[in-house]
Amino acid sequence: MEFRFDITKIFKENISRIGNSLLPNGFIASDRRCALDTTAYVAEIINTVGQASAAAQGLNHPVTTSDRLRNSDDQVIYLMTENNGRSGLVLGLLKIGRKSLYVFDQNGDTRHVNAPCVLDFYIHELRQRAGLGKVLFEYMLEQENFTPEELAIDRPSEKLLSFLRKHYGLSTKIPQMNNFVIFDGFFGSQKSARDLHRTSQTYVTTSPNSILFGPQYLNAENKRRQSHVRSNHDLPLGNNQINGRYGAPRPQCSLNQIIHNKETSVEAEPTRKLMNDTTADIIKSFVEQTDNLSVSEKNVQDTKQEVDEPSDLITSPISSSQHDVKFSDDRNLVDSFASDNYNYNESSFETFDTQHEGDHVDSNKFRYNKRQTGKKNVSSIVVGSDEKIEFNQISDDGFGVVKINRPFGVPASYRTHEHSYDNDSVHSRDSENTHTADGFFDLKFYSHPLW
Ligand SMILES: CC(=O)SCCNC(=O)CCNC(=O)[C@H](O)C(C)(C)COP(=O)(O)OP(=O)(O)OC[C@H]1O[C@@H](n2cnc3c(N)ncnc32)[C@H](O)[C@@H]1OP(=O)(O)O
C-alpha cells in the first residue's frame, strides 16, 4: 500500500508502535512543524489502512481511525511497513487495547475482567498467507508481554480464527454472550487472574434476575448490600428500627398503626395532645377577652374534651356522627372568619361562629384547611355525619373570577325548572358572551375536586 508521501522518513523500523500521540515510538522531530506534519501523515495512513481492513472484513465502518486512537488512552497500533527503495509500503496493522468485560468462565460464571484485546488485524491482500501476520502478532506479544491465550478477540473473522488455531493452537472457545472470543487458558494464566476485578466473587443463581438475565456478578458492594438487607430483615420489629442512610433510629410508622387499628406507641402523641390543650386554652382565653363571643364557652369546652380523648385524636371528625354537612358558600361568612382572628393553620380544627348573619351552619361544625384535606383550591370545607366533604370556591385562584351559582346549603344535584344549581362547571367572568370581537370563543374553566 503506497502513499503520496515518503513513509520511510517516518517509520525507521519494519514494525512501529503508535500510541495516541500519533507519532511512532522513537520518532524524533526536528521541529514542531515537522511533528505536526508527521502526525497528519500518520493519521492519513491509519485511516487508509483502517478502511482497507474494514473492507476486508466486510464492515460498514472502520474499526480503526486516527481520531479513535488519538482519543484513547490504552489503545496501540502496530504498523508493519516495508522499505521498497522508493517511498515505502504499508503492509498491515494490528490494533490492541484493554477492555473492561463481563465474561463467562468455563463454569458459566460471570467474571469482570480488564483484558487485553485484539481489536483489529489486517495484512494487505497481496501479502497474506506469507507469514507476515505471524511476524506482526509475535512482535506485539513480545512488546506487550502477553500470551496468546490471555487475549480476548473482538469479533474475529474466520481467517483470524484459522490463524490463531494454526499458529497458537487456540481452538477451544469459551462461549460468551458478547462479541468477544476467549479461549481455554484465558482464566488460567497468572496475569489474567491478576487482571480479574479484585472483587469478583460468586454469582446469584437463584434470583429471578439470574433466570431472566443470566448469572449476576457479585462484587463487594453488592455483597455488602445483601448482608445489610439480610441483617435488616433479621431485626425484630420494635418501635425503633435502624433504617435509612444515616442509620438513625426511626419510630415505627404511626399511620400504619392507625390504618391497622393497632395501639400507637409513638411518643409524639402526648406532645400533640398538649398542643391541642394549649390551643383550646388559647381559644378560650381569646373568647373571654373579647366582648364579641364568637365562640361559645361550651364549644371550647367540648373541643377540649374531645382533645382529651386520645381516640378522637385518631378518629377524624369526618366519621363523627354528631355533625351535619353544610355549605359555607357565603362570602360574608368567609370574610368574617378571616377577621375573627382564627388560626387556620395551627389548630387541628376550628368552630364556626354561629352568630353570623345569613349563616346556615349549625354549631359544632369543623372547618378544615387545605393542609388537612390535601385539596388545593379549597378555601373552606364543612364536614359532618354523612362522611361527605363539600368544598366551595370562594376566591379566584389566579385564573379569573370563578362564578359559583349554587346557593349556600343547596346540594349540587338539586335543580328546579327555574334554576340549575350545578356549579361543577364554572366560567370566567369575561365569558358571558359566546364569542369575542375576533370571533373566538372564550376559554371555559371547569372546577374539579382535585384541583
Ligand atoms: C479482531 C480482528 O481483527 S478480526 C479481523 C481479522 N482480519 C481479517 O480478517 C482481514 C483479512 N485477513 C487478514 O488480514 C489476514 O489473513 C490475517 C491478518 C488474518 C492473517 O494474516 P496472514 O499474514 O495471512 O497470516 P499468516 O500468513 O501469518 O498465517 C496464515 C494463516 O492464517 C490463516 N489465514 C490467512 N488467510 C486466510 C484465508 N484467506 N482463509 C483462511 N485462513 C486464512 C490460515 O490459518 C493461514 O494458514 P494456512 O495458510 O496454512 O492456511
Side-chain angles (χ1 to χ4, degrees):
M1 194 180 286
E2 280 184 308
F3 286 86
R4 59 186 174 88
F5 43 85
D6 188 356
I7 64 166
T8 57
K9 291 182 179 164
I10 303 170
F11 306 107
K12 305 292 180 192
E13 309 288 334
N14 282 347
I15 300 175
S16 304
R17 187 181 190 271
I18 306 169
N20 57 9
S21 68
L22 298 191
L23 290 173
N25 264 12
F27 178 82
I28 299 170
S30 54
D31 55 23
R32 185 179 161 82
R33 176 84 198 177
C34 173
L36 284 173
D37 286 348
T38 306
T39 55
Y41 292 144
V42 172
E44 186 177 330
I45 292 169
I46 288 171
N47 289 333
T48 306
V49 184
Q51 278 191 340
S53 176
Q57 297 172 55
L59 304 177
N60 292 330
H61 302 288
V63 177
T64 302
T65 64
S66 59
D67 280 346
R68 284 193 191 176
L69 183 63
R70 188 183 282 120
N71 296 324
S72 148
D73 285 334
D74 57 2
Q75 291 186 1
V76 170
I77 286 179
Y78 286 88
L79 195 74
M80 184 176 244
T81 54
E82 188 179 70
N83 190 341
N84 60 355
R86 295 193 299 273
S87 59
L89 294 173
V90 174
L91 300 179
L93 68 74
L94 172 61
K95 184 168 85 164
I96 59 156
R98 283 199 175 266
K99 293 265 179 196
S100 172
L101 300 173
Y102 289 89
V103 290
F104 295 133
D105 65 11
Q106 297 91 335
N107 304 319
D109 294 338
T110 311
R111 301 286 188 101
H112 183 201
V113 293
N114 186 24
C117 303
V118 176
L119 303 172
D120 201 5
F121 191 17
Y122 170 73
I123 296 291
H124 193 272
E125 281 77 3
L126 297 176
R127 309 294 289 268
Q128 286 176 11
R129 286 191 147 169
L132 293 179
K134 178 152 193 243
V135 172
L136 184 56
F137 205 83
E138 286 284 320
Y139 185 82
M140 179 274 295
L141 292 177
E142 189 189 329
Q143 292 290 310
E144 305 293 334
N145 196 21
F146 291 152
T147 59
E149 58 271 11
E150 74 178 288
L151 297 168
I153 318 296
D154 185 8
R155 221 180 336 176
S157 65
E158 281 304 317
K159 291 181 184 178
L160 182 55
L161 288 172
S162 169
F163 172 91
L164 292 170
R165 190 167 47 245
K166 175 180 179 181
H167 294 301
Y168 303 104
L170 298 175
S171 54
T172 312
K173 295 189 241 175
I174 301 173
Q176 301 298 320
M177 289 288 284
N178 53 30
N179 289 323
F180 285 83
V181 168
I182 59 173
F183 294 94
D184 236 3
F186 178 84
F187 296 101
S189 82
Q190 225 178 355
K191 269 194 290 178
S192 64
R194 184 194 62 207
D195 289 333
L196 286 176
H197 198 281
R198 275 192 200 155
T199 52
S200 299
Q201 288 297 329
T202 181
Y203 313 93
V204 182
T205 52
T206 52
S207 85
N209 279 348
S210 291
I211 294 162
L212 285 171
F213 306 115
Q216 289 185 4
Y217 169 72
L218 265 192
N219 60 16
E221 174 65 11
N222 287 340
K223 278 182 79 179
R224 191 189 61 75
R225 280 192 200 150
Q226 285 215 340
S227 63
H228 177 70
V229 169
R230 261 199 302 277
S231 63
N232 265 356
H233 285 170
D234 293 339
L235 277 178
L237 283 176
N239 288 340
N240 292 329
Q241 294 175 340
I242 306 298
N243 261 332
R245 68 163 51 180
Y246 302 112
R250 201 167 58 179
Q252 208 164 22
C253 175
S254 56
L255 185 60
N256 174 42
Q257 291 170 317
I258 291 165
I259 289 170
H260 296 289
N261 204 21
K262 292 178 188 168
E263 262 189 33
T264 57
S265 51
V266 183
E267 290 207 356
E269 208 61 27
T271 314
R272 182 142 54 107
K273 187 179 163 190
L274 183 66
M275 284 179 65
N276 284 319
D277 276 345
T278 312
T279 308
D281 286 334
I282 290 169
I283 295 172
K284 187 182 172 186
S285 63
F286 173 74
V287 169
E288 284 168 352
Q289 282 171 15
T290 54
D291 293 328
N292 180 19
L293 289 178
S294 58
V295 180
S296 71
E297 191 162 339
K298 179 181 174 302
N299 283 346
V300 175
Q301 233 10 78
D302 289 344
T303 302
K304 191 168 179 181
Q305 272 175 10
E306 287 177 16
V307 171
D308 285 340
E309 285 293 326
S311 58
D312 285 345
L313 289 175
I314 299 168
T315 311
S316 163
I318 294 172
S319 61
S320 166
S321 61
Q322 46 186 322
H323 307 296
D324 294 322
V325 175
K326 292 289 179 186
F327 304 95
S328 62
D329 210 356
D330 190 338
R331 181 116 200 169
N332 293 332
L333 173 67
V334 176
D335 289 344
S336 69
F337 262 100
S339 63
D340 276 343
N341 285 334
Y342 282 101
N343 189 343
Y344 284 79
N345 293 322
E346 290 186 11
S347 65
S348 298
F349 50 82
E350 296 162 355
T351 53
F352 274 85
D353 179 357
T354 56
Q355 306 300 315
H356 272 288
E357 197 180 341
D359 187 357
H360 296 255
V361 182
D362 295 333
S363 61
N364 274 342
K365 297 300 175 294
F366 291 115
R367 167 176 278 269
Y368 282 77
N369 60 28
K370 292 180 186 179
R371 195 182 60 186
Q372 290 161 327
T373 60
K375 287 176 184 292
K376 292 182 185 173
N377 263 9
V378 179
S379 298
S380 69
I381 293 177
V382 187
V383 294
S385 59
D386 61 358
E387 301 190 6
K388 281 183 186 170
I389 295 181
E390 292 277 351
F391 66 98
N392 298 280
Q393 184 74 45
I394 59 171
S395 64
D396 56 1
D397 283 87
F399 49 85
V401 176
V402 178
K403 182 176 171 185
I404 303 289
N405 295 321
R406 182 153 52 96
F408 190 68
V410 177
S413 55
Y414 182 73
R415 284 161 207 245
T416 68
H417 64 282
E418 289 175 355
H419 298 289
S420 168
Y421 293 130
D422 178 12
N423 64 355
D424 283 350
S425 84
V426 293
H427 54 88
S428 71
R429 185 191 286 153
D430 297 332
S431 303
E432 296 294 330
N433 298 322
T434 51
H435 58 84
T436 65
D438 294 323
F440 295 106
F441 286 96
D442 255 345
L443 277 179
K444 268 199 169 184
F445 296 98
Y446 294 90
S447 82
H448 187 277
L450 293 177
W451 279 10

